[in-house]
Amino acid sequence: MLSVLRVHLPSDIPIVGCELTPYVLLRRPDKTVTTDDVSETNPLDGHFLRYKWYRVQSDKKVAVCSIHPSEQATLQCLGCVKAKIPVAKSYHCTSKCFSDAWQHHRVLHDRAASAINENGNEEEELFGRFNNSGSGSSNTSLSASASSASLTNGSAPLYPAAVTQRSGGETWFEVGRSKTYTPTADDIGHVLKFECVVVDAETKLPVGHASTLLTSRVIPAPSPSPRRMIPVDPMGHLDADGRITSSGSFTVLSYNILSDAYASSDLYNYCPSWALSWPYRRQNLLREIVGYRADIICLQEVQSDHYEEFFSPELDKHGYYGLYKRKTNEVYNDSNNKIDGCATFFRRDRFSHVKKYEVEFNKAAQSLTDAMIPTTQRKTALNRLVKDNVALIVVLEAKVNNQPVDNPGKRQLLCVANTHVNVQQDLKDVKLWQVHTLLKGLEKIAASADIPMLVCGDFNSIPGSAPHALLAMGKVDPSHPDLAVDPLNILRPHSKLVHQLPLVSAYSSFARTMGLGYEQHKRRLDSTTNEPLFTNVTRDFIGSLDYIFYTADSLVVESLLELLDEESLRKDTALPSPEWSSDHIALLAEFRCCKNRSRR
């Protein structure tokens, strides 16, 4: 007969908005062991599995710490209550927790006071960007009264909530009837119980004892401090949402989301295991990405299975169409599903897809070695050059109603390149060669059409490096120290390391702004290169690796997503963290098309 051997959860701490799917180990009638589900519609040997979830409701109210959400709160900041800051942000587990977090915490007070002075709607101004389903205490999709009437979760239909048992000051509410359950705001502070039992398909009665497990208390999904769009073009005008309202503007997001295959607990041991788990990170990343409301989204380190099964269908619900290019697998030998790549999404109501180009640097390496490297050295050369990196180039056309007013009737095209350059720091020649190869491909597209261009991605190159210099300056100084690393002589002559695209880094626009209000943003830039001080923050590295470049003869930057600073990340915090689910930070720029000027 069918029997349950074991049930357990991958993570001990349930989080609002993050699916819980228990691992259920079964023994079939033929004595084989499996984890496959056995549903009522497809019983096995006359039996199936029935699942139920319960919320353990105690008479004692429990609040959780806003900094350490797995800990119970022992004190509350009354200043937050007075300023009408969401109540979940006011709780702390100890006085030390409160004092350690004070530098970050007081920013909430300052912003609340500022928002009240400006428009009297401080809560929407401060927290509206991330106030969607699953964002902790701000999730109001189910009120307490509504939840007592009917609930749905997982794939189960609506049904009345049931009080199953009450004893010792605790009440057990049935909240779900499927294997998967997603905690809601009503569950915060409460323990959940999962029950699995074998049921006779004919009588519908349980056979044997139920297998159960209890979770820790449900915690709210940590909410990061919202990042605002900062205008950098004096000709632009911000609307009520902080968006430039000039005709023809659009926004572009670039974000390395940290592939689950690379998110190991050994590498990121400072991040709580529950916050490093993919079920949690994917929901947190989706909330963040959707919250930016970008017209074009360039993501790196997207696993192929995560693109097909999660990001593509989820972003489709929000009006996006996606294109994907997986890395090649000559070096990476794991499952094809775990190989990551670049994904580019665009809003269907703003753009249509015209053409797609895929750049496989492995193929370019083969062509290069065939043309330049002696036969006896080709294997060594390919071992150095073949690293599976790719780029995805997409040509889009703006929808008619969103064309610039100064170009009525003209077809408005846009070329968007999305890439992830090789990470190995000792392969400086390979990094530069990959960037040069991409730029030469973009030059060919530019020669065939008068088209604005964006070059986005994780270039794994710090400001001032040779790849960055080539992108930003159009050439590399022959005396640049990076050029000393060239064992295959693929960078010679150095005079060929040029391109004619008038590329400018979007975030360098902060350095060209004037006025006292911009000083805090300028302090977050490197004074030599005018690039952000960091876009990647781990215990071992802090620096900039990610960029959005644009052709300055056809595009103008109107606003930029503000950069994070150490205060925003909190003292001694590296990424990823419960608030930020990647080790990189997102870059977001708003552009306006302009009349062409002469090219470089």
Side-chain angles (χ1 to χ4, degrees), residues 186-238:
D186 293 323
D187 298 320
I188 293 174
H190 301 297
V191 170
L192 298 175
K193 176 183 176 181
F194 172 70
E195 179 182 279
C196 173
V197 66
V198 176
V199 175
D200 186 290
E202 186 175 338
T203 67
K204 308 300 184 194
L205 296 175
V207 178
H209 295 290
S211 298
T212 63
L213 61 79
L214 295 176
T215 71
S216 301
R217 294 184 186 277
V218 176
I219 64 173
S223 178
S225 298
R227 298 169 64 190
R228 296 170 293 182
M229 293 296 287
I230 309 299
V232 294
D233 179 12
M235 301 301 292
H237 301 284
L238 290 175

Side-chain angles (χ1 to χ4, degrees), residues 85 107-108 111-112 115 121-129 226:
I85 292 169
V107 173
L108 299 179
R111 286 185 175 178
N121 192 10
E122 74 285 355
E123 194 160 324
E124 181 179 349
E125 170 71 19
L126 287 172
F127 307 104
R129 182 177 298 276

Side-chain angles (χ1 to χ4, degrees), residues 492-525:
R492 298 180 184 276
H494 296 156
S495 58
K496 76 176 182 181
L497 299 174
V498 297
H499 69 87
Q500 300 303 314
L501 301 173
L503 295 178
V504 176
S505 175
Y507 270 79
S508 66
S509 300
F510 272 139
R512 297 189 291 274
T513 55
M514 304 295 291
L516 293 175
Y518 291 102
E519 289 307 311
Q520 62 171 319
H521 304 294
K522 291 183 178 182
R523 286 195 295 270
R524 300 171 189 176
L525 300 178

Side-chain angles (χ1 to χ4, degrees), residues 43 52 57 91 101 144 153 199 207 226 258 290 327 340 373 405 426 479 500 512 533 550 563 570:
K52 287 187 180 182
Q57 193 114 4
Y91 293 117
N153 218 306
V199 175
V207 178
L258 180 59
V290 170
K327 284 182 180 177
D340 65 285
I373 308 296
V405 293
D426 57 327
S479 63
Q500 300 303 314
R512 297 189 291 274
L533 290 173
Y550 67 98
L563 294 165
R570 295 201 192 102

Side-chain angles (χ1 to χ4, degrees), residues 52 60 123 130 193 197 202 206 223 275 377 393 424 458 499 575 599:
K52 287 187 180 182
K60 181 182 178 182
E123 194 160 324
F130 293 102
K193 176 183 176 181
V197 66
E202 186 175 338
S223 178
Q377 300 175 24
I393 303 172
Q424 292 174 253
D458 176 1
H499 69 87
L575 301 180
R599 286 192 178 274

Side-chain angles (χ1 to χ4, degrees), residues 355-373:
K355 199 162 187 178
K356 170 186 175 184
Y357 301 90
E358 296 182 348
V359 180
E360 294 184 359
F361 293 114
N362 284 5
K363 287 184 178 179
Q366 186 67 60
S367 300
L368 177 69
T369 53
D370 289 346
M372 291 183 56
I373 308 296

